[in-house]
Amino acid sequence: MAKKLVIKVTAGSDAPERCSQAFTVAAVAVASGVEVSLWLTGESSWFALPGRAAEFELPHAAPLPDLIESILAAGRITLCTQCAARREITEKDVIEGVRIAGAQVFVQEALADETQALVY
């Protein structure tokens, strides 16, 4: 089994099931002791902002704020630099613990030894 899991989520409220799956897999992996790096890109970028995850609803799915909290407790959440810029989101706007980084960092993480990358 990979020791690290890098997950890129491109979906937000526009594709709620795919979005929820990404956050759920990340939270379960963290709870299982796997090192997790979750990347917010595209429409999921909005969930880097305080309060935005609370607006997300999907029947029979864990609440997104709870999943984010569990991921941040032992993993990392990164907002894509370009996605943030397109939405005029800055470091001072995001939830505490969320970093903003670009494609170079994503590629570095995804290609590291003993790493599995998933894209939702």
Side-chain angles (χ1 to χ4, degrees), residues 9-118:
V9 56
T10 63
S13 297
D14 59 325
E17 287 184 296
R18 190 162 31 109
C19 176
S20 180
Q21 289 168 0
F23 282 92
T24 300
V25 167
V28 168
V30 165
S32 300
V34 176
E35 185 181 344
V36 173
S37 177
L38 178 71
W39 283 74
L40 305 177
T41 66
E43 285 303 301
S44 72
S45 300
W46 295 113
F47 298 127
L49 297 174
R52 290 302 282 265
E55 298 170 6
F56 180 87
E57 291 186 17
L58 181 64
H60 309 290
L64 206 54
D66 294 350
L67 296 174
I68 290 171
E69 183 179 328
S70 66
I71 296 164
L72 283 173
R76 171 181 286 150
I77 297 179
T78 305
L79 171 59
C80 162
T81 301
Q82 290 182 11
C83 299
R86 280 190 283 276
R87 290 161 181 81
E88 298 181 359
I89 299 171
T90 67
E91 291 276 350
K92 65 179 170 63
D93 299 320
V94 300
I95 297 168
E96 184 177 345
V98 172
R99 71 174 176 169
I100 297 177
Q104 179 183 3
V105 176
F106 175 79
V107 170
Q108 182 180 20
E109 286 187 10
L111 294 179
D113 289 340
E114 299 186 40
T115 300
Q116 174 69 50
L118 302 173

